[in-house]
Amino acid sequence: MDAVVKPLRKAQLSDHVRRAPPATARPSREEAEAAVRTLLAFTGDDPDREGLLGTPKRVVDAYEELYGGYGECPAEVLDRTFSEIGKYDDFVLVRDIAFSSHCEHHMMPFTGKAHIAYKPIERVVGLSKLARLVDIYARRLQTQEHMTSQIATAIDEILNPRGVAVMLEAEHMCMSVRGVEKPGSSTITTQFIGSFRDSPEEQVRFMSMLRGG
Ligand SMILES: [Zn+2]
């Protein structure tokens, strides 16, 4: 097996890459469940009817999972890299990484796929780590634009590659089931850094590999 080495990091890591967000004063589980009861009553339903009695607990349990990204640090996930990549000098593309996040404006889901390419210098990261990185940022309240740039920045700062390309395509429930109610529309965001930003040809190759079968 190739040697595990520490990557050559950039001198200054961004806050969101270096550590999990600082914990704010967090309400207790009881307070969170009471808040869910309030919202249940706000819908017009009766929080005390049998079918809803366990709902506040289940919603808070789900929150622990859906927003688990606040307790995780991107730099730790990408910390182990592998050297000895031989003469490999092209980019590595992982496409169709499914994710599910929540928009920070409505706390409604947006779901879709992330495609990530980076052009390594001497060091590569385990492919599953890129998927974990996506999950860390997805399991926080997000905008799709912000999430795209955070993923790209984390890879750039930790692996220090020649370039990074990230594309997210997602459907936003706040657009498909409420508001303008346009199901089926998708939003695409891209962030190019380094060689991908500098070279339109590299961007074209990235796009055509995404379209390829
Ligand atoms: Zn929204």
Side-chain angles (χ1 to χ4, degrees):
M1 191 173 124
D2 289 347
V4 176
V5 292
K6 291 273 181 190
L8 289 172
R9 287 182 174 180
K10 296 215 161 161
Q12 190 72 44
L13 297 183
S14 302
D15 254 15
H16 67 82
V17 177
R18 186 161 46 90
R19 56 173 187 177
T24 51
R26 218 176 164 207
S28 67
R29 170 169 269 272
E30 289 69 31
E31 289 171 312
E33 289 183 12
V36 176
R37 271 181 62 86
T38 302
L39 288 175
L40 284 173
F42 184 75
T43 65
D45 213 317
D46 171 14
D48 288 321
R49 75 177 170 83
E50 196 185 350
L52 293 181
L53 280 178
T55 299
K57 179 188 181 306
R58 283 189 292 268
V59 169
V60 174
D61 284 346
Y63 266 42
E64 301 261 19
E65 193 178 333
L66 298 174
Y67 298 110
Y70 286 104
E72 292 188 274
C73 172
E76 279 168 22
V77 170
L78 296 186
D79 202 34
R80 282 162 56 96
T81 57
F82 300 92
S83 64
E84 300 176 30
I85 58 174
K87 294 195 187 310
Y88 192 83
D89 65 352
D90 205 350
F91 61 74
V92 177
L93 167 67
V94 183
R95 69 178 184 189
D96 297 333
I97 303 170
F99 72 84
S100 161
S101 186
H102 286 79
C103 79
E104 65 187 29
H105 302 128
H106 304 92
M107 295 184 77
M108 291 181 79
F110 65 97
T111 59
K113 287 172 174 173
H115 315 290
I116 298 176
Y118 71 104
K119 206 168 183 182
I121 306 177
E122 292 178 8
R123 288 166 169 79
V124 292
V125 70
L127 301 179
S128 66
K129 298 300 171 71
L130 295 177
R132 274 204 59 203
L133 181 73
V134 170
D135 277 343
I136 289 179
Y137 285 119
R139 289 177 185 159
R140 297 175 184 178
L141 289 169
Q142 281 289 8
T143 66
Q144 186 177 328
E145 296 87 340
H146 205 186
M147 183 173 151
T148 309
S149 87
Q150 286 178 329
I151 293 168
T153 307
I155 296 168
D156 179 50
E157 293 183 358
I158 299 170
L159 298 181
N160 209 5
R162 279 180 232 284
V164 186
V166 176
M167 180 192 283
L168 260 52
E169 38 187 323
E171 181 173 358
H172 291 247
M173 292 303 141
C174 59
M175 257 186 79
S176 54
V177 301
R178 60 156 292 287
V180 294
E181 296 188 42
K182 292 285 175 268
S185 71
S186 59
T187 303
I188 295 180
T189 46
T190 54
Q191 178 77 65
F192 298 114
I193 296 178
S195 60
F196 285 94
R197 179 179 280 272
D198 299 339
S199 160
E201 286 157 33
E202 217 157 85
Q203 290 175 22
V204 168
R205 280 187 59 225
F206 170 70
M207 299 296 195
S208 66
M209 282 170 81
L210 289 184
R211 279 195 300 269

